[in-house]
């Protein structure tokens, strides 16, 4: 869904087999039909974006040695 929408997705795994699975997104995207995409689109609500943004910022602070006002941190997360 992310690939089809032009969004960047960030799978995370330490297991090689799972990394290969994560890289195989194009077969999955081809298997989705219009109804599947519509159902996934409905999951993107203001509430889910707010929750994602909070988790993203928490992980950036935890995993990245950037300052709070660093331009490398994307803070304008929106749907679309």
């Amino acid at each position: 869904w992310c690939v089809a929408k032009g969004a960047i997705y960030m799978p995370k795994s330490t297991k090689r087999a799972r990394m290969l699975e994560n890289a195989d997104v194009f077969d999955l995207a081809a298997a989705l039909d219009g109804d599947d995409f519509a159902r996934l689109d409905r999951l993107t609500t203001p509430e889910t974006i707010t929750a994602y943004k909070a988790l993203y910022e928490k992980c950036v602070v935890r995993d990245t040695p950037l300052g709070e006002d660093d331009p490398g941190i994307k803070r304008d997360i929106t749907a679309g």
Side-chain angles (χ1 to χ4, degrees), residues 13-48:
S13 182
T14 58
K15 295 180 168 77
R16 180 174 170 70
R18 186 72 179 121
M19 289 179 200
L20 293 171
E21 236 176 60
N22 286 337
D24 197 19
V25 297
F26 298 102
D27 289 338
L28 174 62
L32 298 175
D33 65 17
D35 289 337
D36 294 326
F37 278 103
R39 283 193 293 272
L40 290 167
D41 288 343
R42 287 192 296 273
L43 295 174
T44 306
T45 64
E47 293 81 13
T48 59

